[in-house]
């Protein structure tokens, strides 16, 4: 079988992570996974949300957006529509939850880091790119806190990265682009730590239900993909000095 | 280990499904899973959404709500707040997606069925109860269409039911109530067909990441739970005549 | 003349009030007036609204909602529409005002009771059922406060109950169901105390204006209806122990 | 007993109705009831609302607003707040309902008249002034339709006017100003036709419940007040020529 | 060339400013510039906005509205639409900015003055009339503060007035009415002090771009117009005593 | 005098315009004016807005946004806030108006071009950069229409570019960055055509009023700046082939 992208079943798209892309942010990067490009920034706020007052713990949250013309046909600007879609809210809740799973919130102390993920160009897998790139922005912001001595123990416990998998024309494939995603019978996202532990599994039948053996094949693919993403994260952080 | 509920690790809560609870709806039921109670109704609309115009296919969608005092402390009414929360939107998108996976939308024809799931009392697992009960309401509405000859081939392909699982105090458990849910390190929902195929898997680490073997144990539990729910659905539909 | 319901001009529909229907609420009931069914709950909040700060007085307020399929054709969910309709707001203001008329707010002290009235099934007279049932939920919550010694003097001064009347085919009738309501030339609601004093009179010509003698006949009917409702309230509260 | 205004129990405030105050509107007036001043305009739209399409009947609707500084302390502008208050919606629904009761909607034909009532200065009784003045604007717009031959039979069946009454310091009084209104135990509004038939009765206990004999005294006062308002309407329309 | 209004190129429309028109406001006027009529009120609030806390400085802000039937065809009420249009927001930001340019905010002290400008009738130039009339309302409110000794040094540094200019049929004209405004190739507003200094220049090509010499001719016209408006402001304030 | 940026009074910041930055858009560029960076895209829609139906004319409109962390401290995301600020609306109205002034809407035909301008990084002058870059995106989209033969006569009549000027420490300066902008007594924007005709002049006193001679000096600066921007536009379009 041939994937629309011409890739092998277990091939990822080329990954690039360019750091320091937004001058004002405490941490930032532009992550490209093939033609999907997401700007990620991390903003430190010296105030935790009210529900953590006095708890000694911090918070990491995320917001997600997409430029109106990131996609093939222009989407309505959410700010003009007057509300974020259910899809946007679902994605940003997912990003925040995923990133928090890799953070020791007590080591962070009572402050909040807001990770903004804005899709500049979309070609499938934007939420996974946002998580993988968002972690780099978060890592850089944490480095700033450590360097300034504001935080003494590293609040980052491990990498967090995400990749999509799906069943396309009856075959399990890794890292779906838009053309593959829109045809896949089942697809989903796996979020894992650098150590290979699971943070989140979201598999969803869009046209055809799936079996446990298929689910296991998808997990195998995901583990390989995550390892590749973690390497890219490490390189980007190393380059940022 | 003792669960807060005193149940064994693989015990479901008592299930009851009372049909015909809302006089005006084409299909309806009140589902109780322990202390969680959800009113489900299915409304037939003889017009599909605009994006299906001329496609010959129908649509199934869902809306979810919770009475302000369904919970231990009163929640703000979403209608008064002026918008549905991200959580509500995420849940109702999930319910709709799950129910559609069990429907032949071509057999349904160009009409829409709206399944409303309103939580009267909450004690964990409301989205799973909504899916399981929503399917019964949908089944009854389909029966009405078949009986009236409006639809000739049964649009229902199989049961759809959902159950939660989680890792509590290091042990995999089935069908979490609120006390268990709020303490579980990992939890999630499995949505399956009557034939045991997977529709949706959503596992999420809320405090502790999880391993593949743990994920497999949770799937084992879920399969048993779903079978029990499908039996309850069958009984309820049979009673409804 | 025959009413669509087959009832005599001065007949009420069967009333039933089931208490304790919502486990979490301090007071709750399901009131049925014929096919109209409303879930009522009372939630105690140990904080009065800001405008009463330091006044030594409490507040009783109400919110009203209707499940989308409580009616013959499905209504749009207000939470999804993003606002409460003018009708909803008008009704919940009325319920709150009516219940406050039966409460000694100084005896209540600086706390607030929120009465939620959610219509499960509608067949005319939902606002009257909400007031009558809302009072029962309020009474039960007050009993809890008294029993716990949080409040020492009973803040309830008298019953509050409501009934609709109207002029149908030229004849004054009591307790209109939906079929009667939608055809009545004039209709309205009377809210009264257990002692028969008037709290609110709302008569409105929907198609034909009315005279003072007609208004007096409607008041006669209302007085009889209210007496019956007060008896049902007493029984329900007695059963709740 | 002395009223704060120094008026006798059955005294109305001075009424003035200046017509033609808004150049663009088909009918308009500035009504003053004492210090309460309301700008009323009637706008003819050659299209009835969708629910009347093909019915041969027209519609009359109303909108109500208040300038932020119409009152003693500045109120937030509703357009800035992003929604109309429950009070505003309740009032404008009342005005529309009241005016429709005096209109033969079949004679009007499939068109709509929107009556805008904007309070320039408030001193109690703004909804009553809006109804009484709104009727004058409506009457003038109807005259325009008749004169132009667009409508052949007069759609106005009778005057519609409104007045407030209340129980102040134990005494029934007519046409309450703000000082009286804020202290009255019971108050309400009576809307009547020129022939003295009732359109709407809204009596509400704000602090003390009331008896049937009191209700009858209030109706006596209202009948006298309405007669005076109808005279003022007639004079204004006559002047407008 | 003949202007639609029959005026000479440099003719203003008749100006009238009637003060004290809104009993409750600390300063108010009704300004008429030809058929354009705007109600202006100034409300003193003894609390500056949060961002000025502790600064010793006050604030002047403005809100702008238009009655639905101020115009030839009825506009939707912004409060009903649920938001202020971009045009409204742009205008009220302009009014506030202009008035602040004439105020010594330190002399005002930590309080806020809200100037409400509501257009009763529109015939072009409503924002200019709002600024010119808004200044009179502000001046009167300041006089009240001075008289009461709440403020000791006059916070008003100079007059603020505004006039429109444009290029109509190739000719520069002053003070455009609606018919002229809707045909002008270029138009704009000049806001100036009593001393003839510029506060704001807003020239905009709506159909034809313009040259620097044309811009200078428009400025000449504006200077003459502003002088006339300042005289009218002085007379109105003098009359108000 | 020294500008905070160290530039001479009449120095522009370095300009760069990179085209083709957004794969899906019909025209796009990333414009950098110093540290201010704006992503501009032009989207062709084969449907004009309703008010132009049957007119034979097209429309050009613009939307403006800013990433939350484009600025020194994070701004709230407008999509999350549920509305666009007054500032955003004012800016996007300005961009649309400016671009339309350079377009022959009849030559465009009944279609619409939406220009999206999203600020990635802000350092003063974002609206000017958006106009200058937006024109490049528009030009490229028009080229596509011409090349495809959808449009036969070039709808672009001339360049449109914008630059800011202001009075800083008493001296007129060109192209203000954030540090200069926040201290300038007067500032504003000039929008001009390639031929040097004026499209829009917006000068505003933020702290100190200004004189006509100063205004003339600012216009001199603007003319020079616009010429430089037009050269950059030409180069970028030439590069894009």
């Amino acid at each position: 079988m041939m994937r629309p992208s011409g890739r092998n079943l277990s091939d990822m798209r080329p990954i690039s992570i360019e750091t320091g892309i937004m001058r004002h942010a405490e941490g930032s990067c532009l992550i490209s996974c093939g033609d999907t490009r997401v700007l990620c920034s991390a903003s430190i706020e010296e105030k935790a949300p009210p529900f953590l007052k006095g708890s000694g713990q911090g918070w990491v949250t995320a917001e997600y957006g997409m430029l109106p013309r990131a996609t093939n046909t222009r989407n309505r600007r959410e700010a003009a529509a007057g509300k974020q879609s259910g899809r946007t809210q679902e994605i940003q809740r997912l990003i925040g939850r995923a990133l928090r799973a890799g953070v020791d919130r007590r080591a962070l102390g009572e402050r909040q880091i807001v990770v903004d993920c804005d899709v500049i160009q979309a070609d499938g897998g934007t939420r996974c790119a946002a998580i993988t790139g968002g972690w780099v922005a978060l890592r850089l912001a944490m480095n700033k806190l450590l360097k300034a001595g504001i935080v003494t123990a590293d609040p980052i416990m491990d990498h967090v990265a995400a990749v999509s998998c799906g069943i396309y024309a009856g075959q399990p494939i890794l890292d779906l682009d838009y053309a593959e995603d829109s045809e896949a019978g089942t697809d989903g996202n796996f979020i894992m730590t650098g150590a290979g532990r699971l943070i989140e599994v979201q598999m969803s039948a869009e046209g055809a239900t799936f079996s446990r053996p298929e689910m296991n094949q998808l997990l195998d693919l995901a583990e390989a993909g995550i390892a590749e993403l973690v390497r890219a994260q490490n390189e980007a952080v190393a380059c940022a000095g």
Side-chain angles (χ1 to χ4, degrees), chain A residues 14 24 140 231:
Chain A
H24 299 297
L140 296 174
R231 274 193 300 277

Side-chain angles (χ1 to χ4, degrees), chain A residues 107-108 146 151-156:
Chain A
L108 176 56
L146 284 163
V151 148
T152 48
D154 188 358
I156 299 282

Side-chain angles (χ1 to χ4, degrees), chain A residues 193-207:
Chain A
T193 66
R197 306 261 310 165
L198 292 157
I199 291 171
E200 188 116 13
V201 175
Q202 290 198 329
M203 290 303 307
S204 177
E206 304 263 311

